[in-house]
Amino acid sequence: GENVEQHPSTLSVQEGDSAVIKCTYSDSASNYFPWYKQELGKRPQLIIDIRSNVGEKKDQRIAVTLNKTAKHFSLHITETQPEDSAVYFCAASYQAGTALIFGKGTTLSVSS
Amino acid sequence: SAVISQKPSRDICQRGTSLTIQCQVDSQVTMMFWYRQQPGQSLTLIATANQGSEATYESGFVIDKFPISRPNLTFSTLTVSNMSPEDSSIYLCSVGRGEGEQYFGPGTRLTVT
């Protein structure tokens, strides 16, 4: 079955810096890769996703890149703000709307 | 996105007892899933709740321990049976629509004493 590795487990940045979180997946059949943000005590919130027919997707300060050959994808957050502090999870599935396999998460801390 | 509710939001239960968690969606959805999130950990898929048929369980999860029902396209239940302290966790349902994104319910925080 699918296995998703996520790095780093913790990331501390200064406000205004960029943050990058990387994930690798094992199953080449996976073709949907969402990212979730989970604040303390809250449910995971979908922040951005990418499908296998796209190499990069941006939404304001957030971008995701996908390298299908290398089987890895990354989340990029620019101009970080204290409210970006949260746990970020990457995930993979065979198609959008189907069961997700999650990475172990990255705790991002943005200090002002 | 769909509006998803779960009941109860939290509970404290005695070991050996069972708890049924409900997940209600405000519109029909194709897919419903149940995940577990142990304290400080990631999300682990328990099973896919199939409408009108038996749930599909992931490795390490069995129907006798986590029976699931899905009587229609807007509702599902997960029962945690014969609970032990190791079952203390947050249980989340999620929904997906065909080619669309997947969204999570608010979760049920279970503590087993």
Side-chain angles (χ1 to χ4, degrees):
Chain A
E2 176 64 277
N3 182 54
V4 178
E5 300 279 343
Q6 184 172 346
H7 299 280
S9 57
T10 61
L11 180 58
S12 296
V13 300
Q14 292 286 320
E15 183 177 2
D17 288 349
S18 295
V20 180
I21 303 170
K22 299 182 179 181
C23 289
T24 60
Y25 61 98
S26 61
D27 193 338
S28 57
S30 291
N31 59 19
Y32 176 67
F33 308 94
W35 287 88
Y36 287 84
K37 175 184 180 182
Q38 188 175 34
E39 297 174 337
L40 192 63
K42 302 282 185 65
R43 75 186 81 185
Q45 296 277 6
L46 178 68
I47 58 172
I48 196 167
D49 59 9
I50 192 166
R51 288 164 170 77
S52 61
N53 58 347
V54 176
E56 183 176 5
K57 184 177 179 180
K58 288 183 180 180
D59 183 3
Q60 299 182 8
R61 296 187 297 109
I62 294 173
V64 57
T65 59
L66 172 65
N67 183 327
K68 282 211 72 180
T69 303
K71 291 191 283 189
H72 66 71
F73 56 111
S74 300
L75 177 71
H76 305 252
I77 305 174
T78 59
E79 300 173 25
T80 55
Q81 302 167 2
E83 50 266 37
D84 293 329
S85 297
V87 180
Y88 291 81
F89 293 100
C90 64
S93 73
Y94 295 118
Q95 68 178 60
T98 62
L100 295 170
I101 303 301
F102 283 83
K104 292 190 181 301
T106 296
T107 300
L108 174 63
S109 300
V110 181
S111 54
S112 55
Chain B
S1 66
V3 176
I4 309 165
S5 60
Q6 283 185 235
K7 290 181 181 180
S9 58
R10 60 178 62 223
D11 208 342
I12 301 173
C13 301
Q14 298 288 325
R15 70 171 66 208
T17 62
S18 298
L19 176 72
T20 295
I21 302 167
Q22 299 179 4
C23 179
Q24 179 75 54
V25 191
D26 68 340
S27 57
Q28 293 185 345
V29 293
T30 309
M31 309 292 286
M32 293 183 78
F33 309 94
W34 287 97
Y35 291 84
R36 181 173 73 182
Q37 187 173 29
Q38 295 179 308
Q41 303 295 315
S42 183
L43 294 89
T44 301
L45 178 66
I46 297 171
T48 300
N50 301 308
Q51 195 266 327
S53 65
E54 197 170 282
T56 304
Y57 290 85
E58 296 300 302
S59 176
F61 297 95
V62 295
I63 188 171
D64 290 346
K65 175 68 175 177
F66 297 101
I68 288 170
S69 77
R70 189 171 174 198
N72 55 52
L73 294 176
T74 64
F75 184 79
S76 178
T77 67
L78 168 74
T79 299
V80 186
S81 303
N82 188 24
M83 289 184 283
S84 66
E86 292 71 37
D87 295 319
S88 297
S89 190
I90 298 172
Y91 293 85
L92 300 112
C93 68
S94 72
V95 303
R97 285 198 185 89
E99 293 295 311
E101 301 88 358
Q102 191 171 139
Y103 297 97
F104 284 86
T108 295
R109 184 180 295 270
L110 171 63
T111 302
V112 184
T113 61

